Amino acid sequence: MGSTAMDLSSVKVVVIGGGLVGAMEAIFMAKRGFQVDLYESREDIRTLEHVSGRSINLALSIRGREALRLVGLEDQIVGGGIPMHARLIHGVSGRKSAQPYGKEGQFISSVDRRLLNETLLTEAEKYPNIRLHFYHKMVQADFDNGVIFFTDKDGSKVKACPDLTIGCDGAYSTTRRQMMRCGRIDFSQEYIPHGYMELCIPPKEGKFAAETNYLHIWPRDEFMMIALPNQDCSFTCTLFMPFVNFDEIEAAGGQAPVDFFRKYFPDAIPLIGEKAIRTTFEEGRALPMVSVKCSPYNYKDKVVILGDAAHAMVPFYGQGMNCGFEDCIVFNQFLDKFNNDFAKALPAYSEHRNPDAKAICDLAMYNYVEMRSLVNSRWFLFRKRVDKFLSWLMPSRYIPLYSMVTFSRIRYHTVIQRWKKQDMIVNKGLFYLLCLPVIIAGALTLKRFKPDVFSWLKFSGKT
Ligand SMILES: Cc1cc2nc3c(=O)[nH]c(=O)nc-3n(C[C@H](O)[C@H](O)[C@H](O)COP(=O)(O)OP(=O)(O)OC[C@H]3O[C@@H](n4cnc5c(N)ncnc54)[C@H](O)[C@@H]3O)c2cc1C
Ligand SMILES: Cc1cnn(-c2ccc(OCc3ccccc3)c(C(=O)O)c2)c1-c1ccc(Cl)c(F)c1
């Protein structure tokens, strides 16, 4: 159903989910001129009180920034975030090693998740052709007849009859589940044995208690912890650890959490505080991490899913939101390409985006395995130094994997292809570098004990 500019306002689009991607997508659709209704199951987060020390932050990089630029929010969000120009690796001895992320001006931004979501919702509300409906949970859909059912705050049923439904309702998406009832949707999900728990490094005398413009990483093989800075001079730490370890610490209680930190993250204890470590473990629960893949992302010209609803990934690349925001860019490009003809744009978007989203899900899982299996601070640094040397040696031919993902918009599946090619070159180079001296030394030794050993090499000149 291609539409000309004049009658787009009669095209009704429903966005399911008012999280980061849903709010972003609503703005993209409103900018096209559609009539947009966004339905969010929870309350309007802008009405909730702020609880200090409970800030959750996210790493925003180029892919997410481009979507923010397209909706006119990049400067505001990046300006309100904290740039992280380098990684700061914390060794168990307390030794710290900094390594810049890349060239000058290449940084990732630590942004407050709630502030980002609130800003996107407020921006969406400015559009006269967007209506936000909170406390509306999508419970059922009859996509073939274009009817979506919600329950509102007091449990009564609400109905919507959109021309297009866009599911941005997260990893446990109801939209995806409803699609699977009517279309041939392949689906897989994988929970990893690790959980995560957030802790807070409060400000010290009103200032940051640790180095500010860094992504702090404590790599400890099976355990990993990161800390990202917040605007209020605190840091939000995320501890990644197998649930079995969380359960052991919880079962032991008392000083067990502090003893655990004393063994693995001793330098973090004075930053977080022993009491806060104890209460965080007593009051909090480790949360699960799931990887979700599915295909296709659409059902006919009726519904498409974006963000975690389509591809939830483990957070070991800091790309989930960035990828979801990039979904909004790419989907918009396909609506441009097919002049809002949903019957063409939806399948074409799904076919184009699926391999990329699957690639970043795989890369995030690869990082989880890599960073867990024997990546302690020494090995972490060694790997990064090798990357840095190779990108210095072959600047146009070698871009570190992390840089391709984080500081470029090279399609994710192309990143993997290029990484594999680079790896082959590096492995060949290392082979010659390490084996050539051995071959030469062997030949010289042979020559010394059997001078005529290479006589067959001499060209006799006889024809
Ligand atoms: C520990 C951790 C760290 C992370 N760090 C980063 C990072 O550094 N950088 C990064 O880019 N990403 C990061 N991510 C990933 C990022 O949080 C997600 O990719 C992103 O939030 C996905 O946004 P979304 O809008 O697709 O889904 P969600 O954020 O899950 O939002 C879905 C929304 O839909 C609503 N909803 C659900 N069901 C219904 C329904 N039936 N009807 C109506 N509404 C519904 C929900 O209430 C919610 O508001 C991290 C994730 C985790 C777990
Ligand atoms: C939130 C966010 C934003 N980016 N990254 C990130 C991810 C991976 C990285 O290296 C991969 C690697 C290092 C060493 C060996 C193999 C692979 C680097 C890096 O190079 O600094 C940075 C994270 C993050 C998220 C979770 C954990 Cl647990 C974590 F440590 C960092």
Side-chain angles (χ1 to χ4, degrees):
M1 169 215 63
S3 308
T4 54
M6 70 283 278
D7 65 359
L8 280 185
S9 59
S10 64
V11 177
K12 289 186 288 181
V13 173
V14 155
V15 175
I16 310 286
L20 296 170
V21 175
M24 174 68 81
E25 181 57 15
I27 299 171
F28 269 86
M29 293 299 98
K31 289 172 79 73
R32 300 192 71 81
F34 296 141
Q35 173 54 49
V36 181
D37 283 276
L38 180 148
Y39 293 90
E40 164 55 47
S41 56
R42 294 176 306 178
E43 66 282 288
D44 183 344
I45 55 169
R46 295 171 293 176
T47 61
L48 297 177
E49 64 163 312
H50 283 256
V51 179
S52 71
R54 303 285 305 155
S55 169
I56 309 290
N57 47 28
L58 298 157
L60 170 71
S61 45
I62 182 81
R63 298 170 196 267
R65 284 184 58 163
E66 177 58 10
L68 288 165
R69 186 187 67 79
L70 289 170
V71 300
L73 289 174
E74 181 185 22
D75 293 345
Q76 181 182 339
I77 297 299
V78 174
I82 302 205
M84 299 183 283
H85 297 280
R87 53 177 75 90
L88 190 65
I89 312 303
H90 293 254
V92 74
S93 65
R95 186 163 173 269
K96 288 180 273 190
S97 311
Q99 244 208 12
Y101 267 113
K103 308 180 183 79
E104 193 53 41
Q106 270 189 343
F107 59 86
I108 42 182
S109 299
S110 174
V111 297
D112 181 279
R113 173 195 285 272
R114 174 172 170 179
L115 178 64
L116 176 55
N117 206 159
E118 290 177 343
T119 306
L120 285 164
L121 288 170
T122 301
E123 183 67 16
E125 226 162 29
K126 291 176 186 170
Y127 289 79
N129 51 332
I130 291 187
R131 288 181 301 209
L132 304 181
H133 309 266
F134 295 101
Y135 289 116
H136 277 68
K137 180 176 185 177
M138 193 268 270
V139 291
Q140 197 185 348
D142 174 359
F143 292 123
D144 281 310
N145 295 309
V147 185
I148 316 286
F149 297 99
F150 302 89
T151 51
D152 69 8
K153 195 171 183 180
D154 54 19
S156 46
K157 268 213 171 183
V158 173
K159 192 169 81 167
C161 302
D163 298 299
L164 172 65
T165 300
I166 305 177
C168 305
D169 44 346
Y172 306 98
S173 168
T174 306
T175 311
R176 185 184 66 231
R177 279 207 302 274
Q178 293 295 310
M179 279 170 67
M180 290 168 72
R181 288 176 57 240
C182 49
R184 295 195 311 277
I185 310 282
D186 291 330
F187 168 76
S188 68
Q189 74 176 28
E190 180 185 355
Y191 281 93
I192 58 174
H194 278 61
Y196 72 92
M197 181 182 279
E198 272 128 6
L199 301 104
C200 174
I201 296 177
K204 190 175 176 185
E205 291 147 21
K207 297 197 179 79
F208 282 102
E211 293 79 353
T212 307
N213 298 99
Y214 293 87
L215 170 53
H216 294 257
I217 302 179
W218 288 261
R220 299 287 186 277
D221 300 347
E222 273 298 306
F223 312 135
M224 294 160 274
M225 187 164 75
I226 60 174
L228 278 66
N230 295 308
Q231 269 303 343
D232 65 357
C233 294
S234 68
F235 288 86
T236 300
C237 297
T238 308
L239 171 63
F240 299 95
M241 185 162 69
F243 277 106
V244 67
N245 296 90
F246 276 115
D247 295 345
E248 273 170 16
I249 292 170
E250 188 188 355
Q255 275 295 92
V258 177
D259 295 342
F260 170 79
F261 266 76
R262 193 164 288 120
K263 184 174 180 186
Y264 292 102
F265 308 106
D267 63 331
I269 294 180
L271 298 174
I272 301 172
E274 290 198 16
K275 185 172 181 302
I277 291 171
R278 271 199 309 277
T279 46
T280 304
F281 272 79
E282 280 159 11
E283 291 166 8
R285 287 284 307 146
L287 296 171
M289 291 173 278
V290 68
S291 182
V292 169
K293 293 178 183 176
C294 72
S295 176
Y297 293 150
N298 73 297
Y299 172 65
K300 297 181 179 173
D301 59 345
K302 302 293 182 187
V303 53
V304 65
I305 47 179
L306 306 180
D308 278 18
H311 45 68
M313 60 196 78
V314 291
F316 298 93
Y317 237 121
Q319 279 296 311
M321 164 194 64
N322 287 287
C323 180
F325 281 3
E326 193 174 58
D327 288 355
C328 299
I329 300 172
V330 178
F331 181 53
N332 206 48
Q333 288 168 340
F334 277 90
L335 287 174
D336 287 340
K337 181 176 180 179
F338 294 106
N339 186 28
N340 301 309
D341 182 341
F342 298 152
K344 291 179 182 164
L346 268 61
Y349 163 75
S350 176
E351 195 176 337
H352 176 94
R353 191 61 176 166
N354 208 281
D356 289 326
K358 283 181 174 170
I360 188 58
C361 285
D362 292 341
L363 278 171
M365 194 62 86
Y366 167 81
N367 249 7
Y368 164 64
V369 174
E370 270 294 277
M371 292 174 78
R372 191 164 50 90
S373 55
L374 300 182
V375 171
N376 51 41
S377 47
R378 240 195 295 278
W379 180 236
F380 192 110
L381 268 172
F382 170 73
R383 294 281 299 270
K384 294 303 174 182
R385 285 178 179 141
V386 168
D387 266 347
K388 197 170 179 68
F389 170 71
L390 292 171
S391 55
W392 169 81
L393 195 64
M394 308 176 268
S396 57
R397 295 179 62 198
Y398 187 91
I399 307 178
L401 174 61
Y402 184 76
S403 299
M404 284 196 273
V405 169
T406 309
F407 299 117
S408 89
R409 288 201 58 218
I410 299 170
R411 290 183 65 184
Y412 287 122
H413 89 277
T414 310
V415 165
I416 291 185
Q417 289 170 345
R418 186 159 171 174
W419 172 48
K420 285 182 175 167
K421 210 181 292 177
Q422 287 180 174
D423 237 24
M424 202 170 59
I425 296 168
V426 169
N427 293 337
K428 259 191 197 153
L430 283 175
F431 172 78
Y432 294 127
L433 201 70
L434 297 175
C435 295
L436 209 55
V438 173
I439 295 165
I440 293 167
L444 292 174
T445 312
L446 255 178
K447 180 110 177 77
R448 183 160 173 277
F449 292 103
K450 284 181 70 67
D452 60 346
V453 68
F454 294 112
S455 54
W456 54 277
L457 273 177
K458 286 194 184 77
F459 180 57
S460 66
K462 290 189 187 101
T463 51

